[in-house]
Amino acid sequence: MPEVIVTAVPAFTDNYIWVLSTGGAECAVVDPGDAEPVFSALRRDGLELACILLTHHHADHIGGVARLVDAYGAPVFGPHDPRIPGQTRSLHEGERVEVPLLGLEFEVIEVPGHTSTHIAFHGHGCLFCGDTLFSVGCGRLFEGTPEQMQASLDKLAALPPDTRVFCAHEYTLANCDFALEVEPSNAALRRRASAVEAARVAGRSTVPSELGEELAVNPFLRSREPSVVRAARRRNPLAQPGASTLAEIRAWKDAF
Ligand SMILES: [Zn+2]
């Protein structure tokens, strides 16, 4: 199995477009919401685009696809969703997607919640999860129920703990502020929050994170932990471990 090299291409104010390569001249790109920064990065690194992978239909994830396809003729793999035009192949739960010319292969995981057709790509020790799981947070529930998001996060939580989590936004600092409201005495979270603050002051990215650490600090992966359930019950005394706690803390974060 080739080792994957992942490079961040910042886009808009806080998006990350991920460029995947294996040391050769070809690369794949995940969620190119804007074509221009991808063109610049590929020119800089002397890379040709071999494939486009998409996690969901939002414009800040697919907005650059048409121009990249025009320029490179790369195939487009993403979820089955008519809101994503120009796809070469639609992907479903459990399918394996081979990235042409790179020798990389990813497992497709359906993770509805943020959108109804959101997928994630897992392979080579990496998870590309779009707007489903963020570092110390999760995506807003635009099209899914808390139960769906809970089931989606449970699938991701079951991956190996050393999985590197490549989410699509630099939201970690604000997510830490919120998570500390939920779990002020979580020592691992306090350490993570300090490290994140230092990284952002120094202008460094906080992504990727490691799944094992997310399990210790991310309140949305911890909806069955007594401390998180207790925090949810301050808002709704009927909150139970799991989806109803997730629902409470998601609604809390939406207004935070
Ligand atoms: Zn989104």
Side-chain angles (χ1 to χ4, degrees), residues 228-240 244-245 247-249 252:
V228 177
V229 176
R230 271 198 305 278
R233 283 181 181 157
R234 294 207 305 269
R235 295 173 51 89
N236 176 359
L238 300 176
Q240 295 299 311
S244 72
T245 287
E248 287 305 324
I249 58 172
W252 181 4

Side-chain angles (χ1 to χ4, degrees), residues 55-61 114-115 118 130-132 134 140 142 169:
T55 64
H56 68 296
H57 75 280
H58 284 158
D60 61 321
H61 296 252
H114 176 67
T115 71
H118 201 304
D131 291 353
T132 295
F134 293 125
R140 284 179 189 252
F142 287 126
H169 288 274

Side-chain angles (χ1 to χ4, degrees), residues 86-101:
Q87 281 203 70
T88 314
R89 180 180 160 197
S90 295
L91 302 170
H92 299 92
E93 174 78 17
E95 274 187 274
R96 301 195 69 84
V97 54
E98 216 175 290
V99 180
L101 304 176

Side-chain angles (χ1 to χ4, degrees), residues 124-218:
H124 308 272
C126 299
L127 174 69
F128 298 93
C129 50
D131 291 353
T132 295
L133 176 64
F134 293 125
S135 184
V136 203
C138 79
R140 284 179 189 252
L141 298 179
F142 287 126
E143 297 177 6
T145 63
E147 288 74 20
Q148 281 178 313
M149 185 56 114
Q150 181 68 61
S152 296
L153 293 176
D154 284 345
K155 287 187 202 174
L156 302 184
L159 297 173
D162 61 354
T163 302
R164 293 190 294 157
V165 179
F166 292 89
C167 60
H169 288 274
E170 179 63 63
Y171 286 161
T172 320
L173 187 60
N175 286 345
C176 284
D177 288 345
F178 174 72
L180 284 166
E181 291 286 315
V182 178
E183 283 192 290
S185 32
N186 179 334
L189 172 60
R190 297 172 78 93
R191 282 194 300 276
R192 172 76 174 146
S194 299
V196 164
E197 200 172 344
R200 295 310 291 154
V201 166
R204 291 196 310 273
S205 170
T206 66
V207 182
S209 58
E210 244 187 41
L211 182 60
E213 183 177 27
E214 291 299 327
L215 293 172
V217 302
N218 188 324

